[in-house]
Amino acid sequence: AVMMRQRGINIRALNNSWGGANASQSLLNAINEANNAGLLFVAAAGNDGTDNDIAPHYPSSFDAPNLISVANTNRFDELSSSSNFGARTVHMGAPGSSILSTTPNNTYSFFSGTSMSTPHVTGAAALVLAANPNVTVERLRRILLYTGDPTSALANRTITGRRLNAFNAVSAVTEGDTTPPATPGLSIASQNGRAVTLSWTAPGDDGNSGQAVLYELSFTDAATGQNFLLASRSPAAPGTPESVTVNLPYRHPTGTIRLRTFDNAANESVATVSVSAPLAAVDPYIPALSANEALSTGGTRLNFRADDAYRAYTLPFAFPFYGQNYSNVTLSTNGNIYFNGQPGDIDPSSSISELNATRMIAGLWDDIRTDISSRPNDDVYMVQPDANRLILRWQGTLFVGETSVGPEINFELELRRDGTIITRYGNGNTSLNPVVGISGGEPEAYVIDSHTRPRPNPTISLTNAQTVTFAPRPASAGPPLISFNAPSNSVSESQASATLTIIRSGELSGTSTINYATVDNPAAVRCDDTTTAPGVAFARCDYATSIDTVTFAPGQSSQQIQIPIIDDGHVEPNEAFQVTLNNPSPGSGLGAVSSITVTIIDNDVAGAANPVNTTPFFVRQQYLDFLSREPDAGEPWSAILNGSTNPFNTDPNSGSASCDRILVSSSFFGSPEFRLKGFYVFTFYRVAFSERFAEYSEIVADMRAVTGQTPADT
């Protein structure tokens, strides 16, 4: 198809109603070549009724930029019971049940399956291309994915949760919409280990108007660039506060979370936030290889002579695994220990993708049997050397047929009360297709490459192979270290403040304090100057200078601070400023991220009203400028101005001329809170500096320290 395309034949979409369990790098390379040639690759998700996130189906489970994986829906918009699905791997659904199709000898017959669903998507692609032949393969794919109808049966079963709508797709490509959704101010609201709660305000379809169609949240590793889909969901109405909690992928402690917002015409906006997590939470084990150790001998038979079978087993002690304690597990004849019950039909077919999706220990995961009649000593044996160790030893053969005897299997798993896992390998263990590793049921598992057969390479041998140890990573306490949870953040200019998270790690039993301060640009630039320093945010114009102290109580690991954001009404590029941490209390120290860059996402449009002309903006500025704090709930000044017929004092003879902005501002200047506190600090500094006027950044810390109503204000 690529060659035909290169020869000028107008091929734009490929239908692939086929597939199976085996992956092929050469096939993936060919799909990527098709992408480079501008070809859409539509693939059937499969008809096993299984989760492709756990048991992949190829080619539909490949991660390629031009691929759409399609599930089968029926006329009731239900997911067919035979259709494969996958919240991270299957993109959408399309009709595939009782579809009338052509058959030989000029006849028609009804068929069902994802092979019927896939041509619907490919055909819809042809309709879109007929309406706009110049659409790129990237936009074509997005239009098909994001113009479908939301369907409850596909929610959490597919990436988009949508069923194909050909009419919507053709309408989207012809409407000429090039305006993306607004970029939301994505921030980290809280974090507990690898669990990160994100917050933002919902944008619209075009900027902040209309309804966007889909969010995609993903994580990109800072070191490797590896990308993980975390979640997808439908946006709320524009302006609605939204939040979601996601888990950082195991073994990836530092990276960037990306929120992509799509509209029906395939336009997108992207918001990002940097994030990191403690190693003990996100990378909880330290794998190591060592010299081969002899297997245990003797022990108690579990009478587990079977093929592809499971057995519930009670441990002699509570065993910690990925942060949870377990007293009961499920054993498999195929060399595994499962921690969340019987896994279903995935057990015989070992694969890394299935390991990633299952909370388990794969000691030697292969198709093992312990029931050959000519080998009466085959079984799973239990040995307990002491109260803190349990050994489970598999003695069997590799399955090569119902009546044939395959290569001998001998290996064991040792579990220790402290969470350590050890695997040992004895004689035999040849011609294997094994997977060896451990997993918390989410990417990314610990896989021992030397003990795992890389598909589709030939089988490997684990005869007297090296011993593997998975040691729990110690949660090193050490002195309290205080830092921002990420090196960058973003906030929409329309939001009142930027919420920044400061975290404390290490020993948390005591009290710690840390100072923070905005790094203010001292350049003499007017607030309406949008050309002198594009991309630079200025204090008092774009944000309020903020200097204060944060106190962590005993046991407290996270605090949030608010930096007031000022909506200046000027159309300008996104602007950034920095906030730094300094002066940790004795016994505490600065962590890895002592400075954070905050990007203000501009929200202004040409010709829009100046926000300073609105009462809420004006009153808030009086509080920020005079009192260094946000307005009180139910403050009286807005009501005074809203009730005035002459708030801007345009008519001095007006009956309400005395109830104008001048009065309000002078009232703040004359208020006891300002005169006895803020103004006192200002005049005190002037005396201390030999009549030199103090810079605002010099006095704001003390002004914040004394801020708050005085008895005369209440």
Side-chain angles (χ1 to χ4, degrees), residues 293-610:
E293 298 176 7
L295 300 183
S296 61
T297 58
T300 302
R301 297 183 66 149
L302 299 185
N303 295 317
F304 195 18
R305 289 178 54 79
D307 180 29
D308 296 337
Y310 305 102
R311 170 74 60 84
Y313 184 77
T314 300
L315 301 174
F317 47 76
F319 178 70
F321 187 67
Y322 276 90
Q324 297 184 37
N325 289 328
Y326 292 88
S327 297
N328 297 285
V329 296
T330 299
L331 307 182
S332 163
T333 54
N334 291 318
N336 300 323
I337 299 177
Y338 294 98
F339 289 85
N340 286 337
Q342 185 171 318
D345 296 330
I346 71 163
D347 190 68
S349 55
S350 59
S351 75
I352 293 173
S353 58
E354 294 168 17
L355 177 67
N356 269 316
T358 311
R359 185 167 282 237
M360 63 183 292
I361 299 172
L364 193 164
W365 187 6
D366 208 328
D367 195 356
I368 302 170
R369 63 189 307 178
T370 58
D371 63 344
I372 294 294
S373 59
S374 61
R375 294 174 54 88
N377 292 325
D378 284 358
D379 207 328
V380 177
Y381 292 79
M382 185 276 290
V383 179
Q384 190 168 4
D386 54 52
N388 296 314
R389 293 187 294 160
L390 169 71
I391 295 175
L392 295 167
R393 187 177 72 251
W394 275 255
Q395 185 172 309
T397 59
L398 192 67
F399 182 87
V400 293
E402 293 295 337
T403 58
S404 301
V405 180
E408 184 178 355
I409 299 294
N410 293 286
F411 83 97
E412 68 185 25
L413 278 166
E414 179 177 329
L415 308 183
R416 295 186 176 180
R417 190 185 292 269
D418 66 358
T420 300
I421 303 160
I422 302 174
T423 65
R424 303 182 183 93
Y425 303 90
N427 295 326
N429 305 327
T430 60
S431 302
L432 299 176
N433 296 286
V435 170
V436 175
I438 62 173
S439 172
E442 302 174 38
E444 185 169 31
Y446 294 87
V447 178
I448 305 303
D449 293 336
S450 60
H451 291 47
T452 298
R453 175 204 170 199
R455 274 63 165 176
N457 292 3
T459 58
I460 66 171
S461 170
L462 292 180
T463 304
N464 297 318
Q466 286 181 293
T467 296
V468 180
T469 300
F470 299 95
R473 186 181 298 276
S476 176
L481 296 179
I482 305 173
S483 69
F484 288 108
N485 70 320
S488 63
N489 204 335
S490 62
V491 60
S492 172
E493 191 178 16
S494 62
Q495 293 183 238
S497 61
T499 301
L500 308 180
T501 301
I502 302 174
I503 58 175
R504 182 173 65 149
S505 60
E507 180 56 54
L508 305 181
S509 60
T511 299
S512 299
T513 62
I514 191 79
N515 295 342
Y516 70 87
T518 53
V519 181
D520 296 342
N521 193 314
V525 177
R526 288 169 53 94
C527 291
D528 60 354
D529 185 341
T530 62
T531 60
T532 299
V536 177
F538 290 88
R540 319 301 291 169
C541 298
D542 303 301
Y543 65 94
T545 296
S546 300
I547 303 173
D548 211 340
T549 300
V550 172
T551 300
F552 288 86
Q556 193 171 25
S557 62
S558 177
Q559 286 269 43
Q560 290 186 331
I561 61 173
Q562 308 288 329
I563 307 297
I565 300 299
I566 300 171
D567 189 350
D568 59 13
H570 299 298
V571 179
E572 56 196 347
N574 297 340
E575 300 173 314
F577 66 98
Q578 285 73 45
V579 184
T580 61
L581 299 176
N582 62 84
N583 194 29
S585 56
S588 301
L590 284 175
V593 186
S594 60
S595 176
I596 187 170
T597 298
V598 181
T599 300
I600 303 173
I601 309 298
D602 187 69
N603 72 326
D604 300 303
V605 295
N610 191 333

Side-chain angles (χ1 to χ4, degrees), residues 256-309:
T256 301
I257 294 177
R258 180 172 63 165
L259 172 64
R260 303 172 71 189
T261 307
F262 297 96
D263 67 11
N264 68 306
N267 302 303
E268 73 166 310
S269 65
V270 180
T272 61
V273 63
S274 298
V275 64
S276 61
L279 273 180
V282 76
D283 195 7
Y285 290 92
I286 303 173
L289 294 171
S290 58
N292 174 262
E293 298 176 7
L295 300 183
S296 61
T297 58
T300 302
R301 297 183 66 149
L302 299 185
N303 295 317
F304 195 18
R305 289 178 54 79
D307 180 29
D308 296 337

Side-chain angles (χ1 to χ4, degrees), residues 57-113:
H57 175 276
Y58 297 100
S60 62
S61 289
F62 281 128
D63 183 11
N66 59 329
L67 188 147
I68 296 178
S69 175
V70 188
N72 169 13
T73 59
N74 61 25
R75 63 192 181 96
F76 302 107
D77 265 346
E78 299 167 336
L79 181 69
S80 169
S81 60
S82 65
S83 176
N84 290 6
F85 53 91
R88 290 188 175 95
T89 51
V90 178
H91 294 95
M92 66 187 307
S97 298
S98 300
I99 304 299
L100 189 64
S101 183
T102 55
T103 46
N105 301 318
N106 296 321
T107 59
Y108 294 88
S109 300
F110 287 96
F111 293 94
S112 296

